[in-house]
Amino acid sequence: MPDLEEERWEYFNHPAKQEWYRTRSLSWEAIESAFARGTLVAYPRAAVIDTLPIALSYSSYQEYQTYLARAKRGYRLNYTRMEDALQMAGALTLKAPIVLEWGGEGLLFSGYRRLCLGWNYGMVPSVWLVNILSGSTSK
């Protein structure tokens, strides 16, 4: 299980994700309360996990080229460090990316660079899939 506190920025500051939270009235407290019930699931390179559509997953190689490979150096730097570590050691263990599930829809909450690293090297990474129950959204 990844550390949710390390990913707070994704909820409070990530500009592309704010509408997803707002349209679902999804509070930080709801995510916190559901987080420990998450499960580790395989996420092959696709815009879905099984039949669950994942918003902002940017799973195609073309999207990788747009959002990561050609991104500003600061964003790309962490990916490059992980890639170098993988190449040097031949193996790498990383914390699982997080996917939130709400009413039959998913959101890649955190870990895009970690997913890309696995996908680009032909691996099927696992993600921490958190099902947010509709009754846990009170603020």
Side-chain angles (χ1 to χ4, degrees):
M1 182 170 68
D3 185 346
L4 181 62
E5 283 300 312
E6 290 178 5
E7 308 293 353
R8 287 180 68 89
W9 186 91
E10 301 292 336
Y11 180 82
F12 292 101
N13 302 104
H14 196 295
K17 298 175 185 175
Q18 298 308 305
E19 182 179 348
W20 201 89
Y21 307 134
R22 189 175 48 257
T23 59
R24 290 153 186 83
S25 298
L26 183 56
S27 69
W28 177 250
E29 292 77 16
I31 296 169
E32 284 180 313
S33 68
F35 196 74
R37 292 190 310 268
T39 57
L40 207 53
V41 299
Y43 188 5
R45 186 174 225 151
V48 297
I49 296 176
D50 292 326
T51 59
L52 180 70
I54 309 299
L56 304 179
S57 67
Y58 307 124
S59 59
S60 73
Y61 186 74
Q62 291 77 17
E63 289 171 314
Y64 159 77
Q65 287 288 324
T66 300
Y67 295 108
L68 184 53
R70 295 184 184 130
K72 292 181 181 178
R73 185 178 183 280
Y75 186 77
R76 211 176 42 242
L77 186 59
N78 189 35
Y79 178 87
T80 302
R81 286 180 181 150
M82 289 187 298
E83 188 174 43
D84 289 346
L86 174 61
Q87 288 290 334
M88 293 181 74
L92 187 61
T93 301
L94 300 169
K95 60 185 172 185
I98 301 168
V99 172
L100 302 179
E101 178 183 359
W102 175 274
E105 301 173 302
L107 170 73
L108 179 58
F109 180 73
S110 69
Y112 177 63
R113 289 171 284 203
R114 288 170 267 159
L115 277 176
C116 284
L117 184 67
W119 289 338
N120 289 343
Y121 280 84
M123 301 173 202
V124 178
S126 293
V127 296
W128 189 251
L129 180 62
V130 180
N131 187 334
I132 310 294
L133 302 175
S134 60
S136 64
T137 61
S138 59
K139 294 186 178 186

